[in-house]
Amino acid sequence: MSDAHPSGGLLRALLFRFEPETAHRLAIQALKLGLVSGRLRHMDTRLSTQIAGLNFPNPIGVAAGFDKDAEVFSPLLKLGFGFTEVGTITPKPQAGNPKPRVFRLIEDDAVINRLGFNNGGHGAALARLSAATSKTGIVGVNIGANKDSEDRVEDYVRGIGTFYDHADYFTVNVSSPNTPGLRDLQTKANLVALLDRVTSARAEAVSDTARHVPIFLKIAPDIHEGDLDDICTTVLDSGLEGMIVSNTTLSRAGLRADHGEQGGLSGRPLFERSTIMLAKVRTRI
């Protein structure tokens, strides 16, 4: 017997009649219009946890990729999530990859996407975060680089400066598989240079604001053992507060049905792979 509310199954059936990206936009609009509402409830203190000086009321949050442009972070928190993360946000607006670019693998409880950091840029997201009259929870800002950027590291530095007054934490996303060359920033030399400039930008902001905002590095689940050693060592040496494990995978291992689409795979098939990567990281840090 299922404990799920019957309306949940009906809503899922309705949304699945739409192309996946359209369904995503409908969900965003429903939250913006208040059609999906929630009431803040008392959280059991046993669910709370503290990470990098932040008090999370519970460990279940909304990862970046859903609220790309900081449109519905407040409604999401009111649903009871312990945190939400907006983005990935790039300095300049960009359309992302050609459509269709999101694909359901219903048999596998999975999704493949190759969105490519589609977002409205720093300015649009900053305006929404600045306009928030009150905060009801933790909001992280996931920052990335434009596809056509001549200095991708500088794009991350600009992200720190732009959102420093509004982010509870930053996620440095170098692990999306959908921007050509982005994962190259995970190699040791590139990562050292990136994190050096990012932490320097934070140090300047701390000096100006007397406020320390944690920074986390988001990695891919497809990293080889030797490269993972270098990444973990670099993060420890950099002064970052931690790592987020993990982004989507390029692997198609174990799928019942593979439509041959390129992009990052998420959902149930990612669980084991990301959990193994999480364990490997934990032994190193």
Side-chain angles (χ1 to χ4, degrees), residues 43-62:
M43 295 286 182
D44 192 315
T45 56
R46 290 175 296 180
L47 296 176
S48 65
T49 186
Q50 186 177 88
I51 300 173
L54 298 174
N55 295 307
F56 293 82
N58 68 71
I60 307 300
V62 180

Side-chain angles (χ1 to χ4, degrees), residues 140-152:
V141 178
N142 185 302
I143 53 176
N146 281 110
K147 181 178 180 179
D148 61 354
S149 176
E150 295 183 1
D151 186 349
R152 287 183 170 175

Side-chain angles (χ1 to χ4, degrees), residues 183-196 223 226-235 237:
R183 286 190 172 189
D184 292 345
L185 290 174
Q186 294 178 128
T187 62
K188 185 174 182 178
N190 290 336
L191 189 60
V192 168
L194 169 65
L195 297 187
D196 180 65
I223 298 169
D227 295 330
L228 186 60
D229 290 337
D230 289 338
I231 289 171
C232 291
T233 299
T234 300
V235 168
D237 291 344

Side-chain angles (χ1 to χ4, degrees), residues 51-103:
I51 300 173
L54 298 174
N55 295 307
F56 293 82
N58 68 71
I60 307 300
V62 180
F66 181 78
D67 188 14
K68 286 178 170 290
D69 286 307
E71 297 176 88
V72 291
F73 54 92
S74 290
L76 286 171
L77 290 170
K78 290 177 181 177
L79 289 176
F81 288 106
F83 65 97
T84 186
E85 187 173 307
V86 302
T88 297
I89 309 172
T90 58
K92 296 186 297 183
Q94 63 182 26
N97 293 320
K99 297 179 181 181
R101 52 194 181 180
V102 184
F103 309 90

Side-chain angles (χ1 to χ4, degrees), residues 114-220:
R114 52 172 180 265
L115 289 163
F117 285 176
N118 57 310
N119 72 106
H122 282 182
L126 179 62
R128 296 186 184 102
L129 288 166
S130 301
T133 55
S134 63
K135 291 184 65 176
T136 58
I138 294 172
V139 179
V141 178
N142 185 302
I143 53 176
N146 281 110
K147 181 178 180 179
D148 61 354
S149 176
E150 295 183 1
D151 186 349
R152 287 183 170 175
V153 173
E154 179 61 24
D155 284 5
Y156 290 93
V157 171
R158 289 175 62 186
I160 298 293
T162 298
F163 296 105
Y164 201 83
D165 289 338
H166 303 283
D168 289 308
Y169 69 87
F170 285 102
T171 296
V172 175
N173 185 1
V174 295
S175 50
S176 170
N178 299 316
T179 297
L182 187 76
R183 286 190 172 189
D184 292 345
L185 290 174
Q186 294 178 128
T187 62
K188 185 174 182 178
N190 290 336
L191 189 60
V192 168
L194 169 65
L195 297 187
D196 180 65
R197 289 180 62 182
V198 164
T199 53
S200 293
R202 176 174 64 180
E204 292 180 12
V206 170
S207 178
D208 292 337
T209 65
R211 176 172 175 259
H212 183 92
V213 178
I215 302 175
F216 302 95
L217 178 72
K218 187 171 186 176
I219 65 170

